[in-house]
Amino acid sequence: MYEFDIPDMSCGHCVGTVTQAIKSVDPAAVANVDLSKRKATVETKADPGTIGAALDEAGYPATYKAA
């Protein structure tokens, strides 16, 4: 599991876009996006760098750490 800090999230639309970006890399990923904390925890078999790149491409630069 990985935790991503996503400081640019500000609304429900952002949450949907972040979730879609994660699912575009790994459709089986379990993503819990917390808008109030501006974090996402992701259970995935994909490389976290690949998830991070998808988030960057979607306009939400993120940093990650193992959760």
Side-chain angles (χ1 to χ4, degrees):
M1 182 180 315
Y2 299 97
E3 182 177 281
F4 292 84
D5 290 319
I6 310 170
D8 292 343
M9 283 195 307
S10 61
C11 66
H13 179 265
C14 298
V15 171
T17 302
V18 164
T19 302
Q20 283 182 323
I22 293 165
K23 295 284 191 171
S24 74
V25 173
D26 179 5
V30 177
N32 295 305
V33 183
D34 186 332
L35 179 59
S36 66
K37 293 183 181 178
R38 295 189 168 136
K39 294 183 184 285
T41 54
V42 183
E43 287 185 48
T44 182
K45 292 183 181 180
D47 178 74
T50 305
I51 299 281
L55 292 169
D56 285 347
E57 188 174 311
Y60 296 93
T63 56
Y64 72 89
K65 61 182 176 184

